[in-house]
């Protein structure tokens, strides 16, 4: 072997074929060039490491507060003590209610001010002022300015009680005390990053109306059947058959699941019926389809702040003390909302040093950063949970418009002026945007907010008599209400009468309230402002499930359901209540609240688990309640797998996936290969069956109604949906599509996971990747994005499963989009024995140890102790801070 094997060319050597001659005699040999390149790469790596360390240690840690300090808070009347436990949850003790909420405002600003600031920019239609000339932000601002969320909140300020105003003012005072003398980079790392591309000014002082505006965002994301109403119209644009559309939206009874309350508990409904032929809408016309499409695009531009879609919902149930080991009630709740970083909930305990009429709060639970008080939780006498009621509180009206007038009554040929105004959207670093806003008596016109194509078209041949089409939105949250009063009233409620009184104030969003008291009662109460509609005969229902003709006054709302008529129950005979977004009442009983419910597979599974344990004679514990929340049994699998196993697949390779289904217990744990395969089959079955029939923005998400649709279609092998419209002169059958879904799922998972089905697992497909709302997206530099986004976690469960980690089949991805944003179990016998957990942590600062310290426990189904008594709080305290005047 030669002493030197270096591939270099020496001066005495003749050039070899293919070698490039040196540029000059001083050119470095190749090894030196390689060494220099390596050094250059190393320098870049070092610089990247230094930049990362500087960003992490200096920039990101700069806003971190001292949780064990004494802080001066102007406006306090006395000293406030804040004790934090191992998860960083603040337990606040004050002598007055105003001091309590001022402290909460100070702490929210300390831990989560950017989240608060982002939310208030969204809810006031000022997001472009924060993030700059970003088209999506400008579109969101346009839509929210059209709604006028902030304007409604300002009206509410004069409607709520003097006590609520004082609490909101105290909260704002606490927020502003923290903001004083702090530069943006001292408040949150997000301002530092945004400052690279936009001008970052000192944040505006917090205004109490900022808090009220947040309630509009909560109401928007939890608004009921809005999506289904538009989806019907869009489905008709391709199906052109009302009966086929109705097949895709089965009635709740078709699922065979139990409503929240039984028929004997309520009176029959008094319907306002108009026995006349309805005005027909020109369904399927290009002009109307364009108006619906434009309205959809506009409304989809609103950022998701709470959660929406079929997978958004919640579980809640309460069990009587007659059935528990302690002899007192147990209550469980886990709202299924959009999951992000930081999580939507901020845990807190608010204690008056002496609980009396002047300082009535002794409450603990889950709050929203930006709003005082506790939204879900318990006090010393009562615990309550919330799930989305799903009442129909929105209606789209198809309007005939001509210039700036709209047709109020076609029979009377009555044209009236629309209300018009101009909004100016300021853009950080860009030119302002002028936005004309028009409204009819039904609500704001949403179909002409964004420039997404022509929204015009004549319902008549000459295009002059009846003008063009537009779409307006009627929504109960666009009228001022007293939900803020309800939040504070629930915080001090002690019995069923108090809950009913608070519910009468809880205008939007309409929620199911389950509750339990320390003296042994359990109950249910439905609050919310729910519109009443006439029953008008016609080609499509007039019950709010389809868009309505704005030119026919018979379709206008006739008022709202009286709060005294809203459904309620106290101490039902069966000893438990389950409210998990299913129908509240049997059809035709009590007030008409809506039609488009979750189809009740989660609620029915919870009922089954409760009744099985009751039948076994085993009393319930806190651990049992937590275990039920983690149940991952799939009703989809139970309905479909027996039929899937009947399909004959000749090729052993193709049949390998199907073999996993034989003997499967239908549980969707993260390690399950059968769950991975089944969900791939379900995804492919939906696409093969419906994608040829529906427009791209109305494809099946795979939620509960799609299970009812497909389950019923299995009994109809000749159903037209089984046929693939895209194949000419060929009529596909049910078994062909089922077999195709089985085989393609096997091939898909070979690509996505492994050739060997033994290597498959549901969790490898079904991951949760939490994302920061501003800095977590793909356009942000990786060093920042990776820092603010927690690592992905594998999840069990799925849509319409009790452990409801929802995914959207229309996207082709199994990624978790919604899920239990928190889990809580309250033990009314010993409040200190209660448990809770949230998806990320108490802090909104990515550098904080409490930014995502609960994520791994939450993903594994674990919970933490929830101290409430002063003794338990002091025993768990790890940091103590003092706030002084």
């Amino acid at each position: 072997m030669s002493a030197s094997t270096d591939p270099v060319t020496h001066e005495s050597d003749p050039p070899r074929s293919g070698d490039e001659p040196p540029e000059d005699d001083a050119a470095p040999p190749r090894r030196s060039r390689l060494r220099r390149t390596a050094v250059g790469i190393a320098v870049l790596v070092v610089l990247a490491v230094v930049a990362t360390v500087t960003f992490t240690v200096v920039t990101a840690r700069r806003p971190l507060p001292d949780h064990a300090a004494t802080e001066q808070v102007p406006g306090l009347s006395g000293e406030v003590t804040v004790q934090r436990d191992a998860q960083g949850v603040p337990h606040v003790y004050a002598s007055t209610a105003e001091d309590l909420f001022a402290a909460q405002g100070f702490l929210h600003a300390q831990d989560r001010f950017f989240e608060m600031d982002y939310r208030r920019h969204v809810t006031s239609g000022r997001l472009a002022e924060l993030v700059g000339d970003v088209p999506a932000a400008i579109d969101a601002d346009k839509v929210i300015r059209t709604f006028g969320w902030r304007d409604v909140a300002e009206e509410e300020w004069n409607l709520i009680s003097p006590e609520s105003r004082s609490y909101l003012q105290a909260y704002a005072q606490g927020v502003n005390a923290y903001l004083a003398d702090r530069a943006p980079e001292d408040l949150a790392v997000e301002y530092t990053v945004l400052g690279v591309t936009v001008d970052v000014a000192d944040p505006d002082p917090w205004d109490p109306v900022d808090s009220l505006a947040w309630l509009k965002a909560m109401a928007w994301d939890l608004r009921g059947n809005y999506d289904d109403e538009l989806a019907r119209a869009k489905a008709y644009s391709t199906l052109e058959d009302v009966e086929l559309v109705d097949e895709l939206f089965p009635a709740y009874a078709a699922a065979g699941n139990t409503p929240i309350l039984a028929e004997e508990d309520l009176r029959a409904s008094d319907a306002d019926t108009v026995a006349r032929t309805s005005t027909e809408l020109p369904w399927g016309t290009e002009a109307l389809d364009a108006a619906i499409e434009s309205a959809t695009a506009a409304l989809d531009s609103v950022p998701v702040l709470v959660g929406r879609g079929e997978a958004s919902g919640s579980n809640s149930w309460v069990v009587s003390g007659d059935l528990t080991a302690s002899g007192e009630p147990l209550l469980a709740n886990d709202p299924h909302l959009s999951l992000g970083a930081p999580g939507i909930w901020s845990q807190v305990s608010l204690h008056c040093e002496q609980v009396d009429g002047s300082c009535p709060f002794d409450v603990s639970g889950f709050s929203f950063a930006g709003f005082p008080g506790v939204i879900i939780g318990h006090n010393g006498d009562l615990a309550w949970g919330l799930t989305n009621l799903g009442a129909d509180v929105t209606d789209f009206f198809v309007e005939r418009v001509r210039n700036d007038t709209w047709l109020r009554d076609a029979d009377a040929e009555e044209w009236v002026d629309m209300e018009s105004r101009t909004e100016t959207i300021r853009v950080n670093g860009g030119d302002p945007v002028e936005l004309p806003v028009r409204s009819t008596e039904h609500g704001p016109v949403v179909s002409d907010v964004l420039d997404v194509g022509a929204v015009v078209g004549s319902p008549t041949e000459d295009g002059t008599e009846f003008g063009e089409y537009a779409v307006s939105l009627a929504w109960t949250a666009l009228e001022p209400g007293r939900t803020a009063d309800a939040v504070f009233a629930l915080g001090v409620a002690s019995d069923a009468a108090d809950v009913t009184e608070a519910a009468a104030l809880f205008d939007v969003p309409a929620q199911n309230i389950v509750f339990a008291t320390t003296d042994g009662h359990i109950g249910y109460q439905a609050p919310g402002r729910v519109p009443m509609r006439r029953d008008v005969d016609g080609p499509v229902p007039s019950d709010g499930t389809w868009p309505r003709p704005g030119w026919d006054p018979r379709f206008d709302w006739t008022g709202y359901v009286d709060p005294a008529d809203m459904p309620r129950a106290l101490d039902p005979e069966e000893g438990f209540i389950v409210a998990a977004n299913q129908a509240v009442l049997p059809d035709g009983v009590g007030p008409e609240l809506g039609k488009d419910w979750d189809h009740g597979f989660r609620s029915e599974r919870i009922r089954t688990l409760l009744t099985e344990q009751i039948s076994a004679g085993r009393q319930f514990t806190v651990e049992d309640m937590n275990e039920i929340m983690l149940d991952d049994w799939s009703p989809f699998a139970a309905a479909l797998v027996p039929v899937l196993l009947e399909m004959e697949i000749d090729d052993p390779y193709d049949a390998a996936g199907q073999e996993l289904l034989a003997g499967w217990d239908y549980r969707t744990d993260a390690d399950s290969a059968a769950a991975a395969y089944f969900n791939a089959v379900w995804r492919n079955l939906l696409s093969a069956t419906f994608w040829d029939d529906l427009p791209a923005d109305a494809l099946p998400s795979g939620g509960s109604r799609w299970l009812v649709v497909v389950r019923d279609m299995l009994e109809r092998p000749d159903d037209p949906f089984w046929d693939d419209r895209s194949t000419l002169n060929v009529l596909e059958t049910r078994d062909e599509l089922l077999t195709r879904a089985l085989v393609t799922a096997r091939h898909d998972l070979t690509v996505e996971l492994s050739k060997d089905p033994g290597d498959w697992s549901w969790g490898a497909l079904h991951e949760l990747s939490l994302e920061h709302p501003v800095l977590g997206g793909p356009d942000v530099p990786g060093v920042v994005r990776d820092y603010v986004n927690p690592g992905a976690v594998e999840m069990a469960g799925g849509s319409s499963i009790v452990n409801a980690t929802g995914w959207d089949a229309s996207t082709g991805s199994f990624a978790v989009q919604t899920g239990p944003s928190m889990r809580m179990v309250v033990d009314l016998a010993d409040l200190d024995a209660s448990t809770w957990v949230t998806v990320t942590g108490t802090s909104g600062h990515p550098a904080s140890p409490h930014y995502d310290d609960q994520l791994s426990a939450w993903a594994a189904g674990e919970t933490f102790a929830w101290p409430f008594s002063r003794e338990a709080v002091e025993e768990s305290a790890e940091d103590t801070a003092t706030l002084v005047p």
Side-chain angles (χ1 to χ4, degrees), residues 97-106 108 116 153-154 156-176 205-215 361 368 370-373 375 481-488:
E98 286 73 16
D99 282 359
L100 205 58
F101 294 122
Q104 186 181 17
F106 186 89
H108 274 167
M116 298 164 60
E154 289 175 350
E156 289 182 345
W157 177 252
N158 297 314
L159 188 65
I160 60 177
S161 71
E163 291 80 10
S164 293
R165 286 199 294 270
S166 71
Y167 300 154
L168 288 161
Q169 286 172 325
Y171 180 85
Q173 186 176 23
V175 174
N176 293 328
W206 192 263
D207 188 290
V209 177
D210 294 334
S211 297
L212 293 177
W214 166 244
L215 297 177
F361 294 95
F368 289 132
F371 196 91
I375 305 298
R482 297 181 61 189
T483 300
D485 288 339
V487 172
F488 298 119

Side-chain angles (χ1 to χ4, degrees), residues 653-654 656-657 677 742-750 755 757 760:
Y653 178 86
D654 290 344
Y677 177 67
L742 288 162
V743 173
T744 55
R746 197 281 188 252
H747 289 266
D748 288 347
L749 295 194
T750 298
K755 182 178 180 180
W760 297 349

Side-chain angles (χ1 to χ4, degrees), residues 215-237:
L215 297 177
K216 299 297 142 190
M218 183 171 68
W220 174 251
D221 277 358
L222 302 176
R223 61 194 175 273
N225 84 323
Y226 161 118
D227 298 302
D228 285 341
E229 187 175 335
L230 278 182
R232 285 182 173 89
K234 288 184 285 189
Y236 187 88
S237 70

Side-chain angles (χ1 to χ4, degrees), residues 492-563:
V492 298
S494 62
D495 57 26
D498 291 340
V499 173
T500 298
E501 185 176 336
L505 306 171
F506 208 121
D507 294 301
V508 293
Q511 298 288 290
N512 299 303
I513 304 175
V514 298
F515 63 90
T517 63
T518 54
D519 62 358
H521 296 287
I522 65 170
Y524 168 85
Q525 174 71 56
R529 180 191 290 151
V530 181
M532 295 188 295
R533 304 167 176 86
R534 296 182 182 92
D535 184 8
V536 183
D537 292 338
V540 296
S542 61
D543 53 11
T545 56
W546 289 72
R548 307 160 78 77
W551 56 86
D552 187 339
R554 294 172 299 157
F555 286 85
D556 292 350
W557 292 351
T558 61
Y560 299 102
V561 175
D562 190 318

Side-chain angles (χ1 to χ4, degrees), residues 365-580:
F366 298 86
S367 70
F368 289 132
F371 196 91
V374 168
I375 305 298
I376 297 174
H378 71 83
N379 56 39
D381 301 310
L382 178 141
W384 72 97
L386 301 179
T387 64
N388 199 21
L389 179 63
D392 188 353
V393 297
T394 60
D395 272 329
F396 289 98
F397 283 83
V398 178
E399 312 281 14
R400 290 173 173 171
V401 301
R402 190 171 60 193
N403 298 322
D404 285 327
T405 65
W406 65 288
L407 186 59
R408 179 70 186 85
D409 188 333
D411 290 342
E413 298 184 9
E414 178 188 2
W415 289 86
V416 297
D417 291 335
M418 286 192 281
E419 294 183 13
S420 300
R421 70 181 192 275
T422 300
E423 296 278 344
T424 300
I425 298 171
R426 295 196 297 272
V427 180
N428 195 333
D431 296 329
V433 177
E434 298 294 317
L435 175 71
V437 177
R438 304 187 298 171
S439 300
T440 71
E441 289 179 12
H442 301 126
V445 175
V446 295
S447 56
D448 55 3
V449 178
L450 303 181
D451 184 14
V452 295
V455 187
V456 298
S458 172
T460 64
E461 290 185 3
D462 60 14
T464 57
E465 182 180 358
F466 291 120
E468 302 164 347
Y469 290 122
V471 178
S472 64
L473 174 64
W475 177 34
T476 56
L478 296 182
E479 298 182 26
R482 297 181 61 189
T483 300
D485 288 339
V487 172
F488 298 119
L490 274 175
V492 298
S494 62
D495 57 26
D498 291 340
V499 173
T500 298
E501 185 176 336
L505 306 171
F506 208 121
D507 294 301
V508 293
Q511 298 288 290
N512 299 303
I513 304 175
V514 298
F515 63 90
T517 63
T518 54
D519 62 358
H521 296 287
I522 65 170
Y524 168 85
Q525 174 71 56
R529 180 191 290 151
V530 181
M532 295 188 295
R533 304 167 176 86
R534 296 182 182 92
D535 184 8
V536 183
D537 292 338
V540 296
S542 61
D543 53 11
T545 56
W546 289 72
R548 307 160 78 77
W551 56 86
D552 187 339
R554 294 172 299 157
F555 286 85
D556 292 350
W557 292 351
T558 61
Y560 299 102
V561 175
D562 190 318
D565 293 333
M566 292 296 283
R568 67 177 61 89
L570 185 66
D571 298 325
E573 186 173 333
E574 63 182 343
F576 63 86
I577 301 168
V578 178

Side-chain angles (χ1 to χ4, degrees), residues 760-775:
W760 297 349
S761 69
W762 176 223
L765 297 170
H766 191 54
E767 286 190 329
L768 171 64
S769 297
L770 297 173
E771 187 172 296
H772 189 283
V774 175
L775 303 183

Side-chain angles (χ1 to χ4, degrees), residues 677-691 737-749 752 807 809 812 814:
Y677 177 67
F678 173 78
N679 281 292
V681 173
W682 174 241
R683 175 189 65 181
N684 294 352
L685 179 61
L686 291 173
S687 63
T689 307
F690 300 107
W691 281 29
L737 263 67
L738 293 176
T739 302
R740 183 190 304 174
L742 288 162
V743 173
T744 55
R746 197 281 188 252
H747 289 266
D748 288 347
L749 295 194
E752 296 177 51
W807 57 283
F814 302 104

